[in-house]
Each structure stands twice: as structure tokens, then as C-alpha cells.
Amino acid sequence: MKRFRRHGQESQRDRLKQELFQFNKTVEHGFPHQPSALGYSPSLQLLAIGTRSGAIKLYGAPGVEFMGLHDENAAVTQVHFMPHQVELVTLLDDNSLHMWTLRGHKGLSELLEIGRFTLTGPPGAPPSVTRVTAVLAHTSGELLLLGTEGGHVFIVEVPGFRELEERNISLDQVAASVPDDYIGRRNLEHVEALQENPINPNQVVIGYGRGLMVIWDLEKRCAIQHIPATQQLESVWWTEDGSYILSSHSDGSYCRWMVGGEDVNDEEEKSDIPYGHFPCKAISKIIQLPTEEGPPFLLFSGGMPRASYGDRHCITVIHCKTHVALDFTSRIIDFFVIRDGLQHTGDPSALVVLVEEELVVIDLQTDCWPVIQTPYLVPLHSSAITCSHHVSAIPLKLWERVIAAGELQNTHYSKKPWPITGGQNLAPDPPQRDLLLTGHEDGTVHFWDASGVCLYPLYKLSTAGVFHTDADPNDNMNQGAEGEWPPFRKVGCFDPYSDDPRLGIQKIHLCKYSGYLTVAGTAGQILVLELNDEAAEQTVEAKVVDLLQGQEGFRWKGHTRLDVREEPVLFPPGFQPFALVQCQPPAVVTALTLHSEWKLVAFGTSHGFGLYDYQQKNTVLIKCTLNPSDQLAMEGPLSRVKSIKKSLRQSFRRIRRSRVSLRKHHVNNTAKLQEANARLEAELAEMELAPVQRKIEARSSDDSFTGLVRTLYFADTFLSDSSHNTPSLWAGTNGGCVFAYMLRLPPVEHRADEPVTAQPAKEIQLMHRAPVVGIVVLDGHGAPLPEPLEVAHDLARSPDMQGSHQLLVISEEQFKVFTLPKVSAKMKLKLTAVDGSRVRRVGVAWFCSSRTEDYGESGLVVLTNQGDVHVVSLPHVKMQVQYPCIRREDVSGIASCVFTKHGQGFYLISPSEFERFSLSTCYLVEPRCLVEAPLHSGSSSQRRSQPDGASSTHRTRQDSEDAEVLQEIQKSLEGDQTSFLENNVKSAVA
């Protein structure tokens, strides 16, 4: 009977786990790492980016995102949308072609690969014959023209990837039609470019590497004009009226050639080297677009004078008398222009540029051509990310104030809306407002809207103004000097160079209820800031805290502290610093926490921890945790003088201790030592096979950084006796030590006058000296204590102060529960002893049931060094679920992970991208979007290739009308308009 009851309880618990926990990787935020190709569909209004790792990502309106990954570990070199369809083709650097489509499934679209193809040449032919160098997606939507390294053009039918051999354009065919004097001088080389005649889809221009351009008639299968350019060809562009072809060349020149009539035998009609007669770099791409009134836009990349500006990454835009060289901070991958009008044939409206580290969009219809702020694909790594902090459920008032401060920073952006608007975002509105704060190497903190699919920038805080740095605050990098040639204008926000690495932000803590923020940096600086809606000029005085407490015999070998400005500093609206603590020695701040109700900040480094009263601007507590034998703690992160001898010495000591602890008796001679070693190996082999706990070696107090403070925690709990609760501060170190201090806070009416005091109350030394990575106090009901001011804002119930409290100490190796106030061990859960993994990140989260609306559980979310995510129950510390999340080799990804209060998490999959994941069945942020096939009309109607190669035919008027009716029915189905269906189904069938 007991067995059945136990089995029923287990099955009930399994059902409950299914209601609470579910692992999903949901969306990638940020900018794709190492982009390599760009594509755009004017009809779908979708942007596509391919990467060197083989990923393909599509973006439309904010929230419309798709991602695919090629099976081949090869870079995407080209992306081409099929005109007026939902298909696109990718070319990889292994010479394979892949067809993708956006297919509907359960009311949503998903990106699927539906075919792959590799050109095969005749037997014995060299690989260059079929090595694809240029791709043209024909407007018929059914043909791909593939130019190759061998100079051939292959014509392939899609989506089936069937090669139409009878229509291929061989190099011999072209060479036979070219004047002998041209062929005699040079070979044609590879196919560099393929362009279709905008007014006659049967004509394409084939551009060869040596400069020759041939206009080929696909219907007649012959060359109708030759353009014998003499410079190495980089790109071609056929003007919209079909009358001219523009070619750009390796010497920094571009030429304009007239189309029609006899072959061009003389020099080109117009040749220009925009940036002078000194040697220039190649113009890699050129575009010319007409305007309804006035001259056309001319845009090209490259062409800079090689000697003076060969290292610049520029796109030049020329229109009327305006000539600007847009100067980017990273290499240009590709660019395109978005045009007005339903048919996308109006005036140019926006220039979209993909560079190696960001996407930049320029408004071409507003004076001065300002940048349009991107709602996605924002470069998170504009300065390298050094830390992250997530805050859930932001109150509306704080949210609006942060947005208002951010808008004042964005006045230089264009007012035009985001021009890429394809697809429909069908995701529900986020249930709450979430912030993700990222700290950066240049001393900035970026505030991101992390509520939905798009990680949108809201506000940027800079701490550099508090200190003296090498940067000149009046230095305007955005605008070149008047009269400068070339007329450079700096664009983009990617700036990887930090003025001073000591500015780097290492820890962040924001109180969402009070608006207080504290940030800590690489050189031991801790700033306390509050949100102010007005600009303010004030002096920030530094409070120096000596964490060594006068200990002698130590000499700091690391970097010096930052010099604080003594004069008043004008701070813009937003978060403004009013207090500064400077640790001595100026080591990296390793732990930080803020209690806004008590007006206290606790901070820790590798030397100790302190408590600071930011209301009275006084130091309350200083505790040195430095081990006298730990010299590494005196070197700092920027010092590279770690002793190899000491590392080896420590390693040998550990080996000796391990052997001594496992030997049954002391051995003195070599024979006995070998015997003991053999026995040790045999025992270890048995231990690996048997399902028993591993032998965990106790760590020595001589190990490096044992005094490093890993975690700090405020709690109102029972320390002296079980009837009087008191504010307290808890600190955990790298050496497995936990310090507890009782805090005495004066009454509210005397808070500004009487000092806060702290006295030591408890000290716990974990047996194995494993680093303490987390501390949580559980109330009488076993629930974690609420955040400061959470109860005061009626967002959490008051903690149970009647029952006995418990202390949960999370070390790298185990979870241990102690009773309070006696601090006696109650229960524990071993992690390292069971599977060999160690805790790297930990957080408390609330998991709601997907079936029972009013039921939920608190759990401990844990990330290990193996990359696995665990959920541990509270207060019983039992393992609930385990999921593989991050590759164990991805050390930086594991180190960057941050958990949310509702069972989600973020970690860096590259320097510029966060992967978002969820452990909860209820809180899931993922793209839910729909992209419909575009309607064809006029000159954009779908064309069908005839078997004999004749020109394609247009849809009939009746076909278009049927399509319109069917589309209306589809829309009505989505809206569940049954009455509309009854009236229109008959006519549609007819």
C-alpha cells in the first residue's frame, strides 16, 4: 500500500514539474557575430543577414525575426531573395547553394530550408569552372543565373535546382563574339557581376574581372553589345531607365556607358575618379537611383585615396550639391537603398549599411541625412560588455522617467519611422516591463527594454565624467572640419576603444522602487546614483576605504585608482552620481548590493568588504578578508606578473595532499610509493564505474584569492535569538567563509543624524572551503525574503517572522541549509560530489503553473561549469529538473549568464549577442510572426519561363481578381468573420 502511495506521489510530482518547468532557447538579441552577407526583398520588406558561422537571419517590422542555420560549417557569402516570392537563396563559401522559404504553420511563418545544390562541371574540369562568384535572381522568380570563376554563366531553374544546360552561357560563346583585338590583349577572367535590364528582363549584363562587359539576350541566346573597359571590374549597375550601365573599378574610378546601338569601341562616355588623381582604393559597389524632381542619387563604397585614407571604411553619397563620405568604424559588408512607393520605385528614402560590427540606416529624405535609430540589431558591444544585471517588473513611473532621459540623448536621430516593415508581429504584449542593464569597458551602463523580442535601447549612463580621463569632452567626432576633403562624416556607434580600462563596469545593482542605482568598477570605485529629471551641476567627493586595515607587509602591484574631478561636473538628466566610495587597494569590485530602504551599499573586493551609508556618506563597516599567504590578491587584473613557479608549487602540493589523504599509511621508499600510486589508480577507476559520491578534496587556506568576496546579502532576520529580528549583512568568500553582521539602524526620525552601527554576529567556515557563490534567508514559510521596499509597494506579502528562519548557503559544490539563529546544519544537497560539476551562477525565481493560475513555487536556478541549468526546490533543496543550456567549452558564455526573477536567463553567445532562454512554462518571450506572399501587379507580376526560352507571360486580369478574393477570404478566416465567408465563398469557387 505504501509503495502505491509513494508511486502516486511521484507521478503527481512529475505532473507538477511539467506544469512549472519547460526549457526553451527563445530568441537571440543583439547584432549577429561576424556578418558576411546582406540581402533585401522590396516586396516582402524583409532584411536578411548571413554570417561566417552559417547562420541566416531575417528581420522585418520590430518583433518579426526568423533564424536558420546551414548544416554545413561554412560562411554565407551571398543572400538573394527571389523577386516577389517568400523564397531566398544563399551561397556558401563551400560553393553550395541553398533555397529557403517562409512557410506557414499554425498561423505563423517559419524559415525552412527546402533544397540545396552544387554546380557540377564536366568530368576532369578544374573546380574553377563551377566555382560561383556572382548570382542573379531573375525577376521571373524561376531562374538563377550563376556566374563562375571560370567565366561561364549557368542557368538553373528553381526551386528544384534543375540546370538548363541548353541555356547556359559558356566562356567560349562570349569570347567568340568579342572583338579580336580585345581578346588578344587579355583573358576575361571570372564573372564579377550579373545585372538584369530593369525594362527588359531578357537582357542581362555579364561583367568579367578584367573589365569586359557583355549584354546578353537570354531569348535570342547571343551577345548584343560589348563594353570593353580596361580597368579591373568591381561592380556594375544598370540605371532604371535601361539607357546606361555604370561600372566601378579597382583604381577608384567609375564609368558611365550608353546602352544600345553599336559596340562601344572608343573610351567610355564618362569616367570619373571621385577622390583625385593619386592612387585610390577600389570602388567595390555603385548604385544610381533617380528622383522625381532633380538629379539622381549616386552612392558608392570605397574609392578613398590609398595613401592618406586607405584605412577608412566609407560610403559616398552624392545628390545635387551635397557630397558626403560616411565614415564607419568597421569594415563594410554591403549596402542597399530603400525607396518610397508601393512598388518601391519612388525616391530613395533610406540607405541601409551592414558593416562588420553594426547596422546603420541613414535617412535620405531629411536635411543632413541623419541616422535612424535601429529597434533591433543594436551593437551591444559598442564597447565590450563587462557585466549584466536584470530587473523584472519595472514600475511605470520609473520606466517613463528612464525613457524620458533616453529621449533627450537621442535628439540627433532622425524622426522618421523605421523603414523595414515586413511581416506581422503576432506575439502578445509583454506581461510586464523588464530592464536589462549592461556594464561596459568604457565606463558606461546601457539600459535595454528586455520585455519583448526586440532588445531596444532606452538610455545610456556614462560614469567617465566623474573622473579625469584622456578624452576631451569637447571633441566632436561626428562632423569633419569645414572644407575638409574628402568630406568625412563619422556614423555608427561602435567604438571598441576605451580611454581607460579602469573605467570598466564590473557590478550593477538597481532598486526599481526608489530609483537608486549603484555601479562598481575595475579600479575599486563604487558610485551611488539617483534618478533626476533635470540637469544638475555638482561635485562628487570620494570616500576612501582602506580594506587592508593597516596590515603591513603588503604592496599593491596593480593599477592606480582613478583621479576624481575636484571641480563641479554638469550631469545631464538621468542617473546622476552623488556619492563615491574608493577602495584601497583599487582592486576590481567583485560583489555589490544595495538596500534602498536602509540607505546602505555593501561592496567587496579580493581584499575584504565594506558597508557604506549613502545617506550620511559614512563608512559603517570595513572587514579585511585577505589571507596573509595570498600574494596574488595584491597584483590586480591588469598585472601580468603571476608567478609560474608558485602555480607549479601549488599544483605539486595539491597532488601530494591528495596522495597522502588516500594512502592508508605513510610510505617512505620508492617501491611503496609506486604500489600506493597503482592502488590509487585502481580505486579511482572503481569510483568512476560505481554510482557513488566522488571524493572531494578539501581546499587549503593557502590557495589563491581565498579572501575574495563572492557574494553580499542583506536580510532582516534572527541572529541573536529567535524572538528578536534585526537587520543584518552577510558576506561569502572564495575560501568558503560566511560572515554575518548585525546592523543597528536608528529610528526613521533620527536616520539622518544618528550613525548606523555593525557588530559581528556569526562566522561559518565550510568544511571543504569551497567558494560561497550565494546566500539566501528563508522565512518561516520557507520562502525567500522579499526585496527591499517590495512589501511597502504591496508587490509581495510580508515575510513570516513567527516561524524559525533558515539560512541557505550555496557554495560551488553544495547547497546547505542552516537553522537560525543557532546556525546548525539542517540539510544539504551535494552537487560536485554527485556529478563533478560546480556552481557558477545562481538566482531565485518564481515559477507559475501553466494549469492552475493561482499556484506557483519559488526555486533556485543554478548554472554549472558544465553549462547545465538546474532548478532546486525551496526550502527542501531537492533537485527538480536539469537541462543542458551552454556548451561546457564556452567559458565566457557561462560567466556572462544572468537570471531573471521569473525563470528566464540571458548569456552571451558572442561579444555582440545574447541568447535568451526560459525555464518557465508561463514566461516565454519568442518571435511569433507571419509573412504573406506579396501580390503581383503591373510590371512586377510573376513571369513564367517557357520551355523554348520565350519571354515570360503576365498574369491575366481574372487571375489577379481571383487572388484578391482568396486573400480577402484568408484575412476573414484569421478574423473569424463567418458572415463575410458566407457571402463570398460562392463567388470565389465560381
Side-chain angles (χ1 to χ4, degrees), residues 356-408:
E356 207 162 34
E357 304 293 352
E358 60 185 318
L359 184 83
V360 181
V361 181
I362 309 291
D363 177 5
L364 296 177
Q365 294 185 337
T366 302
D367 291 342
C368 301
W369 297 336
V371 172
I372 300 175
Q373 187 172 18
T374 54
Y376 46 73
L377 289 172
V378 183
L380 307 176
H381 64 318
S382 52
S383 173
I385 294 176
T386 49
C387 66
S388 304
H389 176 65
H390 188 275
V391 189
S392 301
I394 302 294
L396 179 60
K397 186 176 181 181
L398 176 65
W399 186 263
E400 290 174 342
R401 293 177 70 192
V402 170
I403 289 176
E407 287 175 346
L408 294 174

Side-chain angles (χ1 to χ4, degrees), residues 810-829:
I810 303 113
S811 75
E812 283 191 354
E813 297 179 359
Q814 64 183 12
F815 311 90
K816 199 164 186 176
V817 178
F818 299 88
T819 60
L820 288 177
K822 291 184 178 181
V823 193
S824 56
K826 182 178 181 181
M827 65 183 83
K828 64 183 173 182
L829 171 65

